[in-house]
Amino acid sequence: MAIKSLDDLRKIKTAAKQQAETKRLSEKKVIIGMGTCGIAAGARAVMAAVLEELEKRNIHDVAVLQTGCIGMCQKEPLLDIVRPGEERVTYGPVKPTDVPRIIADHLVNGNVVEDLVVAKLPVEGNDGESAAAKNVPYYSDIDFYKKQHRLVLKNCGHINPDSLEEYIAADGYEGLATVLLNMTPQQVVEEMKKTGLRGRGGGGFPTGMKWSFCQKSPGPKKYIICNADEGDPGAFMDRSLLEGDPHAILEGMIIGAYAIGADEGYIYCRAEYPLAIKRLKQAIAQAEEAGLLGEHILGTDFSCTLHIKEGAGAFVCGEETALMASIEGKRGMPRPRPPFPAVKGLWGKPSNINNVETFANIPYIFRVGAEEYAKLGTEKSKGTKVFALTGKINNTGLAEVPMGITMREIIFDIGGGIIGGKKFKAVQIGGPSGGCMPEHLLDTPIDYDSLIAAGAMMGSGGLVVMDESTCMVDVAKFFLNFTQSESCGKCTPCREGTKRMLEMLEKITDGRGEDGDIEKLEKLAASIKAGALCALGQTAPNPILSTLRYFRDEYEAHIKEKRCPAGVCQKLLNYKITDACKGCGLCAKNCPVSAITGEPKQQYTIDTAKCIKCGVCMSKCPFKAIVRG
């Protein structure tokens, strides 16, 4: 398949849609979510069970397909049944033992297995177009999707990520054709400026302006780079995009390369994402074979090649200068800026770096135009944002929402609220570089400027939700421990400053805190933010500063009262057996250090000097007679 013109692309698109329409009218389908989240939950075993059951029943006219993550990670493994002329039904979580019943009742006899249904969707209408092709939200009748706007994630969970034809059938590479055949590089950059798209990697710098700087830099050799290093704890947006719609990232990169004048590019992806890398490699090979990548793309004079660089998982390599050093084969360490990468980047050549989600927006922009795209979002934060919902929330997974939606809507309307009906306490947004937002800020609109004003930041889009059982001092210690471990050690403020801050937090959570420690933390945080070389160090104090800003009373309780209000910090806990004790002796039998004594049918006691505060006794007591405080 060689695509040398817009006509060739349209012919392939028409043929792919006709083929899909023919199959829609005649072919039964079993579709299994085979993203990393699905595979981790057991999707491979479900796939094997489907193939085994079909073979057992001698059924050979059913298409068994794979797709990426549709966002409902808490319901994985997900399995869809599509019968000609009927609604698409999604089942989950599906166990291999559920497969025979789903195949027999639904696929063969048309009877939906209601007790396993997650959702139903009339995906394919009379015109043969899918809901995704029409930009209709997935399952818009269920709460998780009602307030989403799937623009970047439009194809994820709908198309086979290994199929170039399915991507083209869903309007893939039309944006690239529009750019290469109808626009100059300068026009592309100006169109990007009109969109108001800001970088989705965390900094929020205007993408069009960034492209403009690189385009204006002199020199015959330039590079386009995709930052797919995604290292924030709890973040998996980029991974899901790469696994579910790899061609969208390639298309966005090729358009970006044309705009800045680059003929070569790199996707820097951490090696911990083997499935994403596998699908990227296949997508690159398919695009090269089709003439959409390589020499004379779409029959024009523009040529571009893309490579994959597998990173070793260093968080600091998410910083653009450290990332480029790693591609060059050097130790991943940042360097001072200026000069910025747009002037002196990879191997000293002008380079442009955007993250996965930023590039995934580009094909849509050049299909519909800047004005249409700019209708989404707020005045200063355009478009949509993909968030990974994790923590103490009912609906974990991926959600794509228009900028301007509130945090409350994301957590309670989309996320389904807090597990077990517990009280919301805080949400960590922006990863280790971000901040914790308390309940009274839940109505803050999600946009770059509002989040910064609240002491947080957009970051790449990880949301970690915490309930009333969370200790905010412990949370700050967790994130600082991460950034301290990931510091490259090049600059003193980050290398030594984060270590000293971590030591102070450990002292506080161990019950050794002293008056003045809070003030020392604040002073040290200000010094690190002012003196660190790169964004890792400059933002490392954010979790501490935000928790001090909104949860200062918890720090004071740890220091002045030697008490952890949430009952999390082990060395500040004391276990006590109340008069609800029935004298069964289970606590004593299970205590690993024999700290509990007593007589049968009498109230037992705990020797606090021996107690190691492991909590085993509390978990074993059938009468809930053991309390901690």
Side-chain angles (χ1 to χ4, degrees):
M1 176 177 60
I3 304 174
K4 296 182 179 180
S5 67
L6 180 58
D7 285 342
D8 288 346
L9 184 67
R10 286 174 175 166
K11 287 177 183 176
I12 291 171
K13 178 179 178 179
T14 299
K17 284 195 169 186
Q18 288 175 344
Q19 185 180 31
E21 171 66 0
T22 300
K23 290 181 178 180
R24 182 184 73 84
L25 297 172
S26 62
E27 187 177 60
K28 296 177 183 178
K29 300 176 188 175
V30 179
I31 306 170
I32 300 168
M34 294 290 282
T36 293
C37 53
I39 292 171
R44 284 199 176 109
V46 172
M47 173 73 83
V50 168
L51 295 173
E52 181 182 349
E53 186 66 19
L54 293 177
E55 184 64 31
K56 180 179 174 182
R57 291 176 170 273
N58 199 30
I59 298 174
H60 301 292
D61 60 345
V62 173
V64 181
L65 308 171
Q66 66 172 350
T67 189
C69 173
I70 64 172
M72 293 189 290
C73 301
Q74 82 282 0
K75 297 293 186 181
E76 296 281 4
L78 291 166
L79 181 153
D80 288 13
I81 297 292
V82 182
R83 286 168 50 95
E86 298 178 11
E87 60 192 355
R88 174 173 175 168
V89 178
T90 300
Y91 294 104
V94 175
K95 301 186 292 292
T97 52
D98 296 324
V99 169
R101 186 157 63 109
I102 294 173
I103 296 297
D105 290 1
H106 189 179
L107 185 69
V108 176
N109 297 317
N111 300 316
V112 176
V113 184
E114 295 290 349
D115 59 302
L116 295 176
V117 170
V118 172
K120 300 175 183 179
L121 175 69
V123 171
E124 292 164 332
N126 294 330
D127 57 3
E129 280 199 295
S130 68
K134 297 176 184 176
N135 204 27
V136 175
Y138 258 103
Y139 312 122
S140 55
D141 61 333
I142 65 175
D143 291 340
F144 184 72
Y145 289 101
K146 279 180 180 177
K147 292 191 174 181
Q148 291 197 43
H149 188 105
R150 293 174 66 90
L151 184 160
V152 170
L153 297 176
K154 180 173 75 79
N155 290 330
C156 291
H158 175 69
I159 68 170
N160 180 350
D162 288 335
S163 172
L164 172 61
E165 289 79 7
E166 288 196 26
Y167 180 69
I168 291 175
D171 302 324
Y173 289 108
E174 279 199 5
L176 176 62
T178 298
V179 165
L180 293 187
L181 301 174
N182 300 312
M183 302 175 73
T184 65
Q186 184 60 41
Q187 288 174 325
V188 174
V189 171
E190 292 305 315
E191 189 76 359
M192 281 302 302
K193 289 180 180 179
K194 292 176 186 176
T195 65
L197 175 67
R198 296 171 69 168
R200 299 299 194 246
F205 193 82
T207 304
M209 191 177 297
K210 197 172 189 180
W211 286 15
S212 177
F213 293 154
C214 194
Q215 183 194 58
K216 292 175 181 177
S217 292
K221 184 69 178 180
K222 298 179 182 180
Y223 292 96
I224 191 85
I225 302 170
C226 176
N227 183 348
D229 191 54
E230 191 170 54
D232 290 1
F236 50 93
M237 302 76 59
D238 291 352
R239 187 199 73 204
S240 295
L241 272 166
L242 293 167
E243 292 175 356
D245 198 13
H247 280 284
I249 287 81
L250 300 188
E251 184 179 2
M253 289 186 70
I254 301 166
I255 291 172
Y258 175 75
I260 68 171
D263 65 352
E264 192 172 1
Y266 284 85
I267 302 170
Y268 188 91
C269 185
R270 53 181 46 224
E272 290 98 325
Y273 285 0
L275 183 60
I277 290 170
K278 176 185 175 184
R279 289 180 176 166
L280 274 173
K281 287 179 177 179
Q282 181 158 315
I284 288 173
Q286 290 172 340
E288 288 175 340
E289 184 180 354
L292 296 165
L293 191 59
E295 298 295 321
H296 301 292
I297 298 173
L298 286 172
T300 67
D301 292 333
F302 176 67
S303 301
C304 181
T305 56
L306 297 178
H307 315 281
I308 297 172
K309 170 67 176 179
E310 296 183 34
F315 182 66
V316 73
C317 286
E319 194 278 336
E320 57 185 14
T321 61
L323 181 153
M324 291 186 295
S326 181
I327 292 177
E328 292 172 355
K330 302 172 185 174
R331 182 177 176 184
M333 301 176 77
R335 62 164 173 77
R337 299 177 301 176
F340 291 94
V343 176
K344 187 177 181 182
L346 189 62
W347 286 298
K349 307 299 181 184
S351 306
N352 182 88
I353 303 176
N354 292 115
N355 88 318
V356 170
E357 188 180 342
T358 307
F359 280 123
N361 275 275
I362 308 304
Y364 177 80
I365 286 171
F366 287 97
R367 284 200 306 270
V368 303
E371 291 184 7
E372 184 66 24
Y373 180 85
K375 291 178 182 178
L376 281 169
T378 66
E379 182 181 353
K380 294 183 179 179
S381 298
K382 300 295 185 182
T384 63
K385 182 72 189 77
V386 181
F387 289 100
L389 309 182
T390 60
K392 303 296 182 66
I393 191 168
N394 283 306
N395 299 333
T396 57
L398 286 181
E400 182 178 1
V401 296
M403 292 283 196
I405 194 173
T406 66
M407 188 67 75
R408 187 183 301 277
E409 290 175 282
I410 294 176
I411 293 172
F412 288 94
D413 296 344
I414 296 173
I418 310 303
I419 293 174
K422 290 188 175 182
K423 186 179 178 182
F424 169 86
K425 188 169 191 177
V427 57
Q428 169 79 5
I429 180 170
S433 304
C436 295
M437 295 174 62
E439 185 174 16
H440 76 269
L441 291 178
L442 279 179
D443 293 314
T444 301
I446 300 298
D447 63 66
Y448 289 94
D449 302 319
S450 297
L451 290 175
I452 290 173
M457 62 183 292
M458 187 79 72
S460 58
L463 289 180
V464 182
V465 178
M466 293 165 271
D467 66 14
E468 57 192 319
S469 65
T470 304
C471 171
M472 300 312 295
V473 186
D474 186 61
V475 166
K477 184 175 73 172
F478 169 82
F479 282 106
L480 191 65
N481 181 63
F482 178 85
T483 50
Q484 199 279 321
S485 298
E486 293 291 340
S487 172
C488 74
K490 185 172 183 178
C491 71
T492 303
C494 183
R495 182 184 67 246
E496 299 298 328
T498 56
K499 187 172 181 62
R500 298 289 88 81
M501 290 184 81
L502 180 60
E503 289 171 350
M504 292 177 71
L505 288 175
E506 288 173 340
K507 186 176 79 166
I508 291 171
T509 55
D510 284 352
R512 298 180 287 111
E514 303 172 0
D515 286 343
D517 281 349
I518 291 177
E519 290 72 24
K520 288 178 183 177
L521 279 172
E522 290 174 326
K523 185 177 180 180
L524 189 52
S527 299
I528 295 170
K529 287 178 74 70
L533 177 61
C534 79
L536 187 152
Q538 292 162 9
T539 60
N542 284 353
I544 295 175
L545 292 174
S546 65
T547 50
L548 279 172
R549 180 176 178 181
Y550 299 120
F551 302 96
R552 195 181 190 93
D553 59 324
E554 292 198 26
Y555 282 84
E556 291 174 345
H558 281 72
I559 294 170
K560 297 177 180 179
E561 303 172 31
K562 308 303 178 187
R563 178 177 65 88
C564 176
V568 170
C569 298
Q570 289 290 321
K571 293 188 178 180
L572 294 178
L573 298 181
N574 284 309
Y575 287 82
K576 179 183 178 182
I577 299 178
T578 69
D579 55 10
C581 175
K582 304 298 182 183
C584 70
L586 278 175
C587 55
K589 290 178 183 177
N590 287 281
C591 179
V593 292
S594 301
I596 302 176
T597 57
E599 297 294 329
K601 297 184 180 182
Q602 300 294 320
Q603 184 175 340
Y604 278 59
T605 58
I606 299 175
D607 185 340
T608 55
K610 287 184 178 181
C611 178
I612 61 172
K613 303 176 175 63
C614 63
V616 171
C617 58
M618 190 174 178
S619 66
K620 296 294 183 180
C621 179
F623 307 107
K624 297 183 179 179
I626 302 177
V627 296
R628 65 185 179 191

